[in-house]
Every structure is written in structure tokens, then in C-alpha cells.
Amino acid sequence: MKEFDYIIVGAGLYGATFAYMAKKAGKRCLVIDKRQHLGGNLYCENIEGINVHKYGAHIFHTSNKKVWDFVNSIVEFNRYTNSPIANYNGKLYNLPFNMNTFHQMWGVNTPNEALAKIEEQKSAINSKMEAEGISKPRNLEEQALLLVGKDIYEKLIKGYTEKQWGRKCTDLPSFIIKRLPVRLVFDNNYFNDKYQGIPIGGYNKLIDGLLENIETSIGTDFFENRSHWESIASKIIFTGKIDEYYDYCFGELEYRTVRFEEQTLNTSNYQGNAVVNYTDSKTPYTRIIEHKHFEMFGEDIDKCPKTVISKEYSTEWKDGMEPYYPVNDEKNTMLYSKYKSLADKENNIIFGGRLAEYKYYDMAPIIEKIIKIFK
């Protein structure tokens, strides 16, 4: 008999949730992670009494009551509602695109006025493309213009997207933006999901609860002693980079990454909102996160005399950096399919999560997927 039923490589949300469900099923688990902390990209550091999301903002949202009840059985979630702001050259707009946005953009007051303005701009773009013999969008720019028109695209999409991807919108495939939700109501709630919030006390509470009484080892690199880990477990749950697992035999997958410039400021309230996106092309960062607004509301904001902000800079991933977003273009999709064909033949390995599946994941679908595995 092996020492463990599962060696789980990676202590992020996928690994921690899998370990929790496996332990509940009576399995013996060891969770290892090469970082010096548990939680993966959910990890928070408490600075000046504020839980700082060290790897970018994470907002939990779902319409699945079972998933919502599950995470709240581990730690209670608050009522945080994601309502980001866009800053375009000093002018502020509400996101997602809704009647507040359209009033700020054009001064319109009714849904019919807003819809007429959008349709007028979409029609002009469509006529121009038809005149040029273009039957369907060839790139992200043309796709976005056909969805929301010139004004919204140029002020709220173009600069932000080009900074995020490090490429011109005309060089990005159209399928990246399949749809852009336009809401003809005065509602700044970014998500349509029924439930959303942040764990009270930060995401470390969620991870600690999931991994309670489960053996863990941080600062432990799977690849430095791979044969040992494989020898002491019946199965490996791998949440790292799938191309690294196979020693890059087909080549390296590409990622975008994010650099964070963190500041502690001597003010109780810097920007009045958790998330402000900078959608112009001149501002080098994509957004500023003010972390206290995820968990402090009303009078509590001023009771904490300092605040912590993080400026986010999107850049190309290089070896040694933390990979964040898969580059889902044709080249990388084809490369990933080669690795997946190898993974599908494995009997004793489960590949899961954004790096192992080369797929961007929200948090709730990860939990939903693992619950189904054990069901």
C-alpha cells in the first residue's frame, strides 16, 4: 500500500478543494507547493489590518447555490458587490456598460436613446465594412466595433485590451470578444450571478478551512524530487503547467503575466472603489486595486486610517515569472492539444486548474467541477 492516496501538486483553490473532498471521502492526501505559502493566487497578506490580494483581485461569484453553500460552510462570505469604474483620461465611467455608462458617455437618459446611439454607431461600422468587402470581423477591433460601436470601443475597450494582451486589437483574434454585455438599466453590478462576495477575514480563511487537518508541505518543488512523490502515492493531482510536466517536449505554451506595484498610503480612502480600470493607452498600468474596499464598508473604511493599493502592469510571461493568463490563440491552442493528448492517456494523474488545463477559470467553476468528480 502506498503512503498516500493522492499527492496534490499545488495548494491553490483546485488543489485545496480536491484535498478537502478527498479527505471527506476517507482518502489520505499530501498537498505540496513550491511557494512559501498555501493558497496559490488566492493568498492574502495582512497589511495595516487590510487583507491584500497579493496576486490580483479575486471576487467569488456564482449562481450555483450548492457551490455558494459549500464555500460558506468553510468561511462566511460578505456582501461585496463588484462594481468597477473605468478611468479614461480622467473621465470616469461605470462598468459594465449600462445606463449609467451611456449617460456619462452621451448624456442620454432613457434606454431607447442609448440603444439608438449604439445602433447608429454599429450601423456606420457595418456599412463601412460592407463597402470594403469585409463579410465578417477579422480581428478583435472589428468584432468590438460591431458589438458596441466606436465611442465605447475607443474609450473603454481599446487601450485596456491592448495593454492587457500586449498586442494591437487589430492583431488579436475576433473570438476573444464573442459578446459584450450591454445593459439598458441603471445597474453597476458587474456579475449577473445570484451570489457574490469575499470571505470575511480574507481568502486565507477559505484555504485554511479546506486544508484543515490535511498534511501540507510548502517550499516544496515537485520537479526537484519527482520520482519520490510519484512513488509514495497512488495518484498525482497536478495543478501546475502541463507543458512543464511533460518537460516541454512539444515546446513552451505562452502566457501573459502581471506585475504588481504595491503602496501603503496615509489616507483612509484613496479612490472610493475596489477596482478602477485605466482604459487609455498612455497610462502604463491596467488598473488600481484598493484592497480595503473588498471587506470594509461604510464607517469601517475611515476607522482604518491607512489604505493599500496595487497598480497592475500586464506583460509577457518569461521563465521565472508567475504565469497568469493563457494566450488562447491558434498556435497555443494547437500546442496545448498535443499535451492534452498525452494527459488523456494517463491513468494515475489528474490534471486540473488554469495551468494544467491551459484555461482561464473563475473560482466557482473549479469548485463545481471537483464536487462533480467526487459525486
Side-chain angles (χ1 to χ4, degrees), residues 246-303:
Y246 288 109
D247 199 25
Y248 308 105
C249 62
F250 298 125
E252 292 192 34
L253 291 163
E254 294 178 304
Y255 297 88
R256 294 289 291 171
T257 190
V258 183
R259 177 174 65 84
F260 301 97
E261 187 179 281
E262 188 180 291
Q263 295 174 273
T264 300
L265 304 176
N266 289 315
T267 180
S268 63
N269 193 352
Y270 174 73
Q271 62 186 18
N273 204 52
V275 183
V276 176
N277 294 350
Y278 285 77
T279 58
D280 63 282
S281 58
K282 293 179 181 178
T283 303
Y285 41 86
T286 54
R287 61 182 184 173
I288 296 179
I289 305 299
E290 187 171 8
H291 299 269
K292 72 187 314 181
H293 293 295
F294 290 127
E295 297 185 66
M296 296 181 188
F297 311 102
E299 294 178 356
D300 289 342
I301 293 170
D302 292 329
K303 287 178 183 177

Side-chain angles (χ1 to χ4, degrees), residues 215-240:
E215 190 173 344
T216 62
S217 179
I218 59 175
T220 302
D221 191 334
F222 171 77
F223 293 105
E224 289 182 356
N225 204 358
R226 178 172 180 166
S227 59
H228 167 70
W229 302 120
E230 291 173 337
S231 71
I232 64 172
S234 300
K235 280 196 174 185
I236 300 291
I237 311 303
F238 187 78
T239 70

Side-chain angles (χ1 to χ4, degrees), residues 152-196:
I152 294 174
Y153 168 70
E154 291 191 345
K155 291 184 179 181
L156 303 182
I157 298 172
K158 186 176 187 293
Y160 185 88
T161 302
E162 291 184 346
K163 287 188 289 188
Q164 189 79 1
W165 288 93
R167 295 162 177 80
K168 296 291 185 184
C169 286
T170 50
D171 295 330
L172 290 167
S174 61
F175 69 75
I176 290 178
I177 294 184
K178 295 179 181 178
R179 55 186 289 274
L180 286 169
V182 171
R183 301 178 186 171
L184 298 174
V185 290
F186 291 90
D187 182 5
N188 299 324
N189 182 357
Y190 193 81
F191 299 120
N192 285 319
D193 288 309
K194 186 174 182 179
Y195 311 104
Q196 64 180 300

